[in-house]
Amino acid sequence: MYNDMFKGFSEQVQAGMKPWVELNSAVVKQVETLTAAQLDSAKFYSEIGLTQLKQLSEIQSPADISQLGAKQVELAKEIQARVQADTQKLVEINKDLKAAYESAAKAAV
């Protein structure tokens, strides 16, 4: 008799916790995705910084400065495109998490 009662209680708890366990998995997945995105962005921007330092250290004439200035315009466009892509990636990651929260909230009600 008590075994049946505890079994029923255990099943109810498991059913009630299922949405929150799934939400926890979604949060872990989001943290992994965000971490990967941040590491990728950090690598990209640090490589740009190192490239800039190398280019600056190689300047030997006014013509080199002029060439570097032309490259800066291209670099600014590249960085702008990357920032937009990173922002879009972040929005998508957050949409997925929002959907997971909504799903957990609906299942819990």
Side-chain angles (χ1 to χ4, degrees), residues 2-88:
Y2 290 112
N3 285 340
D4 291 338
M5 184 175 72
F6 284 119
K7 183 180 177 184
F9 176 73
S10 177
E11 289 172 357
Q12 288 177 340
V13 169
Q14 285 179 338
M17 293 297 296
K18 184 178 179 185
W20 304 112
V21 170
E22 291 172 357
L23 177 62
N24 188 41
S25 295
V27 168
V28 169
K29 181 181 174 189
Q30 184 200 32
V31 169
E32 288 175 340
T33 306
L34 282 172
T35 301
Q38 288 174 337
L39 289 172
D40 184 50
S41 291
K43 181 180 177 192
F44 175 79
Y45 295 116
S46 64
E47 286 176 355
I48 286 175
L50 289 173
T51 301
Q52 292 295 298
L53 286 173
K54 287 177 185 177
Q55 289 175 351
L56 287 170
S57 70
E58 294 170 356
I59 291 176
Q60 296 179 1
S61 69
D64 292 341
I65 294 172
S66 177
Q67 289 174 352
L68 183 63
K71 289 179 184 178
Q72 295 301 307
V73 173
E74 294 173 21
L75 179 62
K77 290 178 183 177
E78 183 181 352
I79 291 173
Q80 180 184 11
R82 178 61 188 248
V83 168
Q84 288 176 341
D86 287 347
T87 302
Q88 185 61 35

